[in-house]
Amino acid sequence: MTTGADNIENPAHVLIDHALALEWESIPTEAQERAQTFLHDSLAVGVAGRNAAHADGVFAMAQGWGEGGVASVLGRPGLRLPAASAAFVNGFQIHGQEYDCVHEPAVLHPMATALAALLAEAERGDPVRGEDFLAAIVAAVDVSVTIGIAAPDALTFFRPATAGIFGCVAGIARMRRLPRAEALDAFGHALALTSGTMQAHVEGKPALPVQVASAARNALVAVDLARAGMSGIAHPLDGPFGYFALMEKRAALAPALARLGQGHRITEVSWKPFPTGRAGHGGIVAVQDLMAGQGLTAANLESLEYHAPPLIHRLVGRAAKADMEPGYARLCMQYLAAVTLLRGKVALGDFQRASLDDPKVHALAGRIRVIANDNPDMAAFAPARAMARTVDGRTLVQDVEAQFGSPQWPLSREQHMEKAQGCLEFAGLGHCHAGLAVAIDTFAAARDAMATLRATGVMG
């Protein structure tokens, strides 16, 4: 395996030193704003995840793991769990509806793991200031995304979990200002606790958010092992049996590490405007544009082809089928495009049983397929092209150059707030929307970050 690590120091040292050195006031304004924005987005998504498929079962399971609750659970005000259990449940809920933000070049959801772990850690021990919580978010995203972009080939393991745990540990280290040696030990323990297979993605099973949940929980375990004085693996990333040797086909560590001095990765994160796999978003918007601009309808569609990079075909090119799990449907372009044609958009309610089994959706889905183009970039989401043929013989074409919600095409504040409110309403907590928005706008000045969030009513 080529590591791309020749003549560079231990990358674990580079990443931990970067995280520990971050100070909120020295972080550029754009990165500060994005940290607050995606904290808000991820909290709202996690609250909506309270009603995700299997979320109640996961919560019930976690309740049996121990007594003496010390941490809050999103969307379940008044209920508390042991910190590691709360991290698990919150991680599952944040990723449970595929609505959480994503870093496209790294093919990584950085906030699902990081926020779940940071929320749990912040409620055990001394109160955490808002600016330290936000700086920890920036640190966590920098670290997990750096590991992600250092792997230039297609995913073999589920990177939001496998790279995500390292970001969680780095974020906790920054938030709690752990001694360097202790932080490095925790970072080393993360390798032994890393897991996450892409088979869950291939099958569209709820094991995907379970893997995110496990990474968040195991990050706390890694930190606790280091706090207990247990030495960790010294070369968790670049060792002969380290992360890159085991989890990725090859690595390009040197250029990825060099980017640590060129701004913060949180500014490169994309919103998800729809509760689906990110790979489905370009097709959804293309169908919306064909409907609005060229008159495409469910009634006049004969066939639709979405020509997109290989990653898109790999992630959402599957066939719609009877008795789909919600997680499978969120990763199925046939289903997503059909729903868009019939309802104009894709929303949280479209993954409940009545919608998943709708015969009109399935009849339309059979006319849609994804075709891989010759793009050599294994992490590319665009450019793509939707080509629709109508029953009256027309050919309609819509090009996709950027993904809605990306840094090149961001959500407006109004669109961001609309998404957050919709998430809270889905969980029956719409009345908390205004208070949460105010809390996030002033979060950096909070003396106790968790007390501020609990006061909004979205968590325990």
Side-chain angles (χ1 to χ4, degrees):
M1 181 195 73
T2 301
T3 65
D6 296 342
N7 302 318
I8 65 171
E9 63 179 294
N10 186 332
H13 293 191
V14 176
L15 292 169
I16 285 296
D17 288 344
H18 171 80
L20 293 175
L22 283 180
E23 296 295 342
W24 179 246
E25 60 271 17
S26 67
I27 294 172
T29 300
E30 183 186 10
Q32 289 184 341
E33 291 174 349
R34 282 294 189 266
Q36 290 177 276
T37 293
F38 287 115
L39 170 61
H40 187 196
D41 179 80
S42 302
L43 287 167
V45 167
V47 170
R50 186 258 176 259
N51 283 333
H54 308 291
D56 285 340
V58 167
F59 179 71
M61 174 187 69
Q63 282 182 306
W65 287 347
E67 302 297 329
V70 297
S72 304
V73 180
L74 291 169
R76 302 177 190 268
L79 297 174
R80 294 165 71 79
L81 291 171
S85 301
F88 189 96
V89 175
N90 283 331
F92 182 90
Q93 291 185 185
I94 294 170
H95 191 61
Q97 302 192 99
E98 284 280 3
Y99 216 2
D100 52 313
C101 58
V102 62
H103 189 280
E104 292 181 18
V107 197
L108 170 73
H109 301 260
M111 285 294 289
T113 46
L115 180 58
L118 291 172
L119 287 172
E121 171 61 34
E123 287 200 276
R124 56 179 193 169
D126 295 334
V128 173
R129 295 183 304 168
E131 64 180 50
D132 287 324
F133 195 101
L134 289 165
I137 287 175
V138 175
V141 174
D142 276 351
V143 169
S144 62
V145 168
T146 296
I147 294 171
I149 62 175
D153 292 307
L155 280 72
T156 53
F157 289 84
F158 188 54
R159 201 173 289 155
T162 57
I165 188 174
F166 292 99
C168 292
V169 169
I172 292 172
R174 165 56 187 88
M175 187 170 73
R176 290 299 188 189
R177 298 187 183 274
L178 297 184
R180 182 176 188 265
E182 195 171 278
L184 287 169
D185 282 335
F187 206 73
H189 289 311
L191 176 63
L193 296 165
T194 297
S195 65
T197 171
M198 280 298 289
Q199 189 62 31
H201 199 291
V202 169
E203 297 183 15
K205 293 295 176 61
L208 276 178
V210 167
Q211 291 172 169
V212 167
S214 181
R217 183 178 191 270
N218 284 346
L220 270 65
V221 175
V223 169
D224 287 349
L225 289 171
R227 283 171 167 160
M230 186 182 295
S231 59
I233 294 167
H235 287 269
L237 297 181
D238 63 337
F241 300 98
Y243 176 87
F244 283 99
L246 297 176
M247 300 288 180
E248 303 287 359
K249 295 178 181 178
R250 63 189 173 101
L253 275 164
L257 293 171
R259 288 182 60 182
L260 289 171
Q262 303 170 11
H264 296 286
R265 306 289 77 81
I266 190 73
T267 63
E268 302 162 359
V269 170
S270 298
W271 285 265
K272 280 205 181 167
F274 312 105
T276 77
R278 182 60 168 162
H281 285 201
I284 293 170
V285 173
V287 170
Q288 289 179 325
D289 287 345
L290 287 170
M291 294 170 70
Q294 301 187 51
L296 183 65
T297 66
N300 70 17
L301 177 71
E302 179 177 289
S303 66
L304 173 68
E305 294 178 352
Y306 189 62
H307 295 254
L311 177 68
I312 305 301
H313 181 267
R314 184 182 182 199
L315 296 182
V316 296
R318 65 195 65 194
K321 61 183 183 180
D323 301 319
M324 289 185 292
E325 278 263 7
Y328 183 100
R330 295 179 197 279
L331 301 168
C332 175
M333 182 70 84
Q334 286 187 345
Y335 179 79
L336 302 176
V339 167
T340 304
L341 277 163
L342 288 166
R343 302 168 193 164
K345 63 179 182 178
V346 180
L348 287 165
D350 292 317
F351 301 94
Q352 296 172 333
R353 198 70 259 160
S355 180
L356 293 170
D357 296 335
D358 187 341
K360 293 180 180 179
V361 173
H362 284 268
L364 198 57
R367 306 177 204 169
I368 298 162
R369 62 179 180 146
V370 179
I371 298 175
N373 63 25
D374 59 358
N375 193 320
D377 185 349
M378 291 298 102
F381 287 76
R385 169 172 288 185
M387 298 179 63
R389 292 176 178 84
T390 64
V391 293
D392 59 1
R394 291 179 297 150
T395 297
L396 312 179
V397 176
Q398 181 65 48
D399 288 324
V400 176
E401 300 296 337
Q403 296 265 86
F404 181 36
S406 68
Q408 296 76 32
W409 188 4
L411 268 64
S412 65
R413 180 172 174 83
E414 181 182 5
Q415 290 167 329
H416 167 83
M417 288 296 178
E418 182 179 359
K419 174 186 173 181
Q421 184 163 10
C423 286
L424 268 59
E425 289 174 350
F426 188 74
L429 293 172
H431 61 281
C432 300
H433 170 67
L436 180 61
V438 171
I440 296 302
D441 284 343
T442 59
F443 195 70
R447 295 175 63 87
D448 184 335
M450 295 310 299
T452 297
L453 292 179
R454 288 194 300 270
T456 67
V458 301
M459 59 196 304

